[in-house]
Amino acid sequence: VSRRIVESLGYAVVEAENGEEALNRCRAAMPELILLDWDMPVMTGIEFIAAVRALPGGDAPKAMFCTSHAETLDIAKGIAAGADEYVVKPFDEPTLRVKLGRIGAI
């Protein structure tokens, strides 16, 4: 769902199998937008976004958790780690568009 939505907004989508692969892709070419899950193989979403934010230029991408972790503490941890926004699964297209709009990604 999220891939289709961000592609319809004009983003070129590159997917990664795990957090380490995603981090390596960011090192090679920093994206404008990052959608990530909390539960990813190899490194968690929290570890990943903190690592991205520590990279040169890592403060530039808009980053949003798209995850089933819905507790208030989880949301606070995600934002504190470096995410700009947080959307809880399952979500629909209007919800994702609103969240992307809030962070200036559309």
Side-chain angles (χ1 to χ4, degrees):
V1 171
S2 57
R3 178 186 184 116
R4 181 181 50 79
I5 294 166
V6 295
E7 284 178 335
S8 76
L9 296 170
Y11 287 98
V13 175
V14 177
E15 295 179 342
E17 298 246 347
N18 59 59
E20 183 178 10
E21 181 183 331
L23 187 58
N24 287 333
R25 289 179 187 255
C26 290
R27 284 186 183 112
M30 193 61 70
E32 294 178 47
L33 174 66
I34 299 171
L35 301 182
L36 66 148
D37 198 345
W38 189 289
D39 299 311
M40 300 189 304
V42 182
M43 63 177 20
T44 68
I46 294 289
E47 294 166 333
F48 168 78
I49 195 59
V52 166
R53 293 305 193 208
L55 293 174
D59 58 337
K62 302 296 183 184
M64 181 169 21
F65 270 97
C66 302
T67 183
S68 59
H69 288 254
E71 298 296 321
T72 303
L73 184 58
D74 295 332
I75 296 168
K77 283 182 183 178
I79 300 299
D84 296 296
E85 186 56 271
Y86 200 103
V87 65
V88 177
K89 294 178 185 177
F91 55 86
D92 57 13
E93 184 170 345
T95 300
L96 187 59
R97 284 180 173 269
V98 166
K99 297 277 188 170
L100 290 170
R102 283 185 188 161
I103 61 173
I106 57 172

